[in-house]
């Protein structure tokens, strides 16, 4: 399990409140970006709070990180989410230190283009923005993935999970910003997730399983009785960072916390999903085989349980200490190394 990311400085970034209306519309439907009049005042307050933090980012990160963490857990206003994600991940500073590199990378040849183009055909699963063959969405997605494959040839292009992560980023920001954000996420937050054998993601799947068993022994026993090893169903959750598993609003809230606190948030989301799915005794009795349990988890889980308010509140309420994470991590690591 990766540690909380070390956030790179984003000093002197220019965050202009006059661009709020433009940012609100970029990449998302009105259902994601707008709110009722009753809470518009609260949103404006949160927007201004975030602009103040972004303008004084180094100070907040060094002396008041707890406030940043709380603000992320409460949800970043969509109008400032792109800027906040870049500040949290350090990608804005990477872009500043490497002017012109993205364009230079696109001028080179990549050995991964056959695999990238093959997965672009499935990109409609992320959003309609990527549904049109050779449309603007697919073109930008292709460019981001191509540039990354050349920038980090050891990883290159590994699988569709990278497409999903890049896709969500492109729904909030232009291609060059999305590229540097992808660099930060894969290299810093998810090392080992996209490499042969997937050692890091395999380990984090087992950590999810261990934490579920500790938090709710009845669900843990149910999983063992049906031979439901976490690697059967959680690898896709983690590698795609829930982009294909949860509703868009829920995904954005998870990413707000993930980019602040690190991969443990993705682990907690997996624990949350399993607890919500199998907390009902009747469900556990009905799902009396591996096949039925997996079918329920994938196709029959009540969708209201995955909506932002229920899911995120459940995730935040999970009282998993750093020590519990460490114990589960090293116990599962030892099992894998046997």
């Amino acid at each position: 399990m990766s540690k909380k990311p070390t956030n790179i400085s984003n000093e002197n970034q220019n965050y202009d409140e006059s661009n709020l209306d433009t940012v609100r519309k970029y990449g998302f439907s009105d259902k994601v970006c707008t709110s009722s009049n009753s809470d518009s005042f609260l949103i404006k307050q949160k927007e201004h709070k975030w602009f103040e933090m972004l303008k004084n980012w180094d100070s907040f990160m060094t002396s008041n990180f707890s406030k940043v963490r709380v603000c992320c857990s409460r949800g970043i206003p969509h109008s400032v989410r792109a800027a906040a994600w870049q500040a949290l991940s350090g990608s804005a500073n990477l872009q500043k230190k490497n002017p012109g590199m993205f364009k230079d990378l696109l001028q080179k040849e990549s050995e991964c283009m056959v695999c990238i183009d093959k997965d672009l055909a499935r990109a409609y699963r992320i959003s309609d923005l990527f549904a049109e063959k050779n449309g603007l969405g697919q073109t930008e997605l292709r460019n981001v993935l191509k540039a990354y494959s050349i920038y980090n040839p050891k990883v290159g292009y590994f699988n569709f999970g990278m497409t999903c992560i890049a896709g969500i980023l492109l729904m909030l920001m232009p291609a060059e910003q999305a590229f540097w954000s992808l660099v930060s996420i894969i290299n810093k937050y998810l090392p080992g997730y996209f490499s042969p054998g997937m050692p890091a993601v395999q380990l984090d799947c087992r950590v999810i399983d261990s934490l579920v068993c500790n938090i709710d022994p009845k669900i843990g026993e149910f999983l063992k009785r049906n031979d439901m090893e976490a690697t059967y169903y959680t690898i896709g959750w983690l590698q795609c960072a829930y982009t294909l598993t949860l509703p868009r609003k829920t995904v954005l809230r998870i990413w707000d916390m993930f980019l602040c606190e690190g991969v443990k948030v993705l682990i907690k989301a997996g624990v949350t999903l399993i607890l919500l799915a199998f907390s009902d005794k009747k469900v556990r009795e009905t799902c009396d085989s591996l096949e039925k349990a997996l079918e329920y988890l994938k196709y029959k889980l009540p969708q209201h349980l995955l909506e932002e308010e229920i899911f995120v509140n459940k995730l935040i309420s999970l009282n998993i200490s750093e020590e519990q994470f460490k114990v589960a991590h090293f116990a599962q690591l030892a099992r894998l190394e046997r």
Side-chain angles (χ1 to χ4, degrees):
M1 182 184 70
S2 304
K3 296 180 180 179
K4 175 179 75 64
T6 302
N7 296 278
I8 303 172
S9 168
N10 287 273
E11 61 182 348
N12 300 324
Q13 295 297 315
N14 181 23
Y15 302 108
D16 183 3
E17 293 187 57
S18 65
N19 292 328
L20 285 180
D21 289 337
T22 300
V23 179
R24 283 192 185 99
K25 297 177 182 178
Y26 190 84
F28 287 88
S29 67
D30 291 341
K31 291 182 180 179
V32 173
C33 305
T34 61
S35 301
S36 63
N37 292 333
S38 62
D39 58 4
S40 61
F41 178 72
L42 177 60
I43 291 176
K44 288 184 180 295
Q45 282 187 318
K46 292 174 70 176
E47 287 174 346
H48 289 300
K49 183 182 293 184
W50 268 98
F51 271 105
E52 286 304 310
M53 289 197 298
L54 290 167
K55 289 175 182 177
N56 301 281
W57 190 250
D58 288 345
S59 175
F60 274 96
M61 290 303 297
T62 56
S63 63
N64 205 356
F65 178 72
S66 60
K67 180 175 181 179
V68 177
R69 186 171 60 236
V70 169
C71 288
C72 289
S73 69
R74 291 175 177 172
I76 301 173
H78 194 71
S79 53
V80 297
R81 185 169 263 134
W85 283 10
Q86 291 173 81
L88 288 163
S89 68
S91 63
N93 197 52
L94 282 176
Q95 182 175 343
K96 183 179 178 182
K97 289 182 176 180
N98 297 278
M101 182 180 284
F102 177 64
K103 291 183 179 179
D104 291 342
L105 290 170
L106 293 180
Q107 301 306 311
K108 300 179 181 180
E109 297 295 326
S110 170
E111 298 178 353
C112 301
M113 296 315 301
V114 172
C115 294
I116 289 173
D117 288 338
K118 183 178 179 180
D119 277 351
L120 285 179
R122 305 194 279 158
Y124 69 90
R125 296 174 60 194
I126 308 167
S127 168
D128 289 342
L129 290 174
F130 310 113
E132 183 183 351
K133 185 177 181 180
N134 298 322
L136 178 61
Q138 279 200 13
T139 299
E140 291 199 337
L141 186 55
R142 187 179 194 268
N143 287 341
V144 169
L145 295 169
K146 174 185 176 181
Y148 183 84
S149 71
I150 299 169
Y151 176 85
N152 187 355
K154 289 185 178 180
V155 173
Y157 178 77
F158 190 72
N159 65 17
F160 190 61
M162 294 174 66
T163 300
C164 293
I165 292 173
I168 288 294
L169 294 169
L170 279 170
M171 293 174 71
L172 273 83
M173 58 190 76
E176 186 171 8
Q177 295 176 7
F179 163 71
W180 288 111
S181 297
L182 182 68
V183 169
S184 289
I185 289 171
I186 294 180
N187 295 7
K188 186 171 65 175
Y189 290 77
L190 303 175
Y193 265 50
F194 301 99
S195 60
M198 303 177 292
V201 72
Q202 293 273 358
L203 175 58
D204 287 346
C205 288
R206 293 173 181 269
V207 171
I208 290 174
D209 201 20
S210 175
L211 291 172
V212 168
C213 292
N214 289 335
I215 293 171
D216 193 322
K218 291 183 179 179
I219 293 180
E221 176 58 32
F222 162 78
L223 297 176
K224 290 179 181 178
R225 188 169 62 249
N226 288 294
D227 295 322
M228 281 189 69
E229 295 184 14
T231 51
Y232 291 165
Y233 51 93
T234 56
I235 287 180
W237 296 354
L238 293 173
Q239 280 196 322
C240 296
Y242 298 94
T243 54
L244 302 181
T245 308
L246 299 172
R248 184 61 40 77
K249 286 186 178 181
T250 309
V251 171
L252 294 175
R253 289 288 305 279
I254 289 173
W255 276 50
D256 291 345
M257 294 180 281
F258 161 55
L259 293 175
C260 179
E261 300 180 53
V263 74
K264 71 177 184 180
V265 173
L266 300 186
I267 293 173
K268 287 181 70 174
V271 173
T272 300
L273 188 46
I274 295 171
L275 294 179
L276 287 173
F278 299 116
S279 61
D280 190 328
K281 183 180 178 181
K282 292 182 179 179
V283 171
R284 297 198 301 271
E285 291 174 346
T286 302
C287 299
D288 56 0
S289 69
L290 174 62
E291 291 74 16
K292 290 181 180 179
L294 291 177
E295 182 183 17
Y296 176 81
L297 195 58
K298 189 171 183 178
Y299 301 111
K300 298 182 179 180
L301 183 63
Q303 290 302 295
H304 75 275
L305 295 176
L306 307 181
E307 296 298 332
E308 176 186 2
E309 184 174 354
I310 292 177
F311 193 94
V312 174
N313 286 343
K314 177 68 174 179
L315 187 155
I316 293 173
S317 71
L318 289 179
N319 187 23
I320 305 175
S321 68
E322 289 292 334
E323 184 62 25
Q324 287 175 301
F325 271 113
K326 288 180 181 179
V327 169
H329 173 82
F330 286 111
Q332 297 307 312
L333 181 62
R335 287 184 60 188
L336 284 174
E337 291 178 343
R338 287 175 189 169

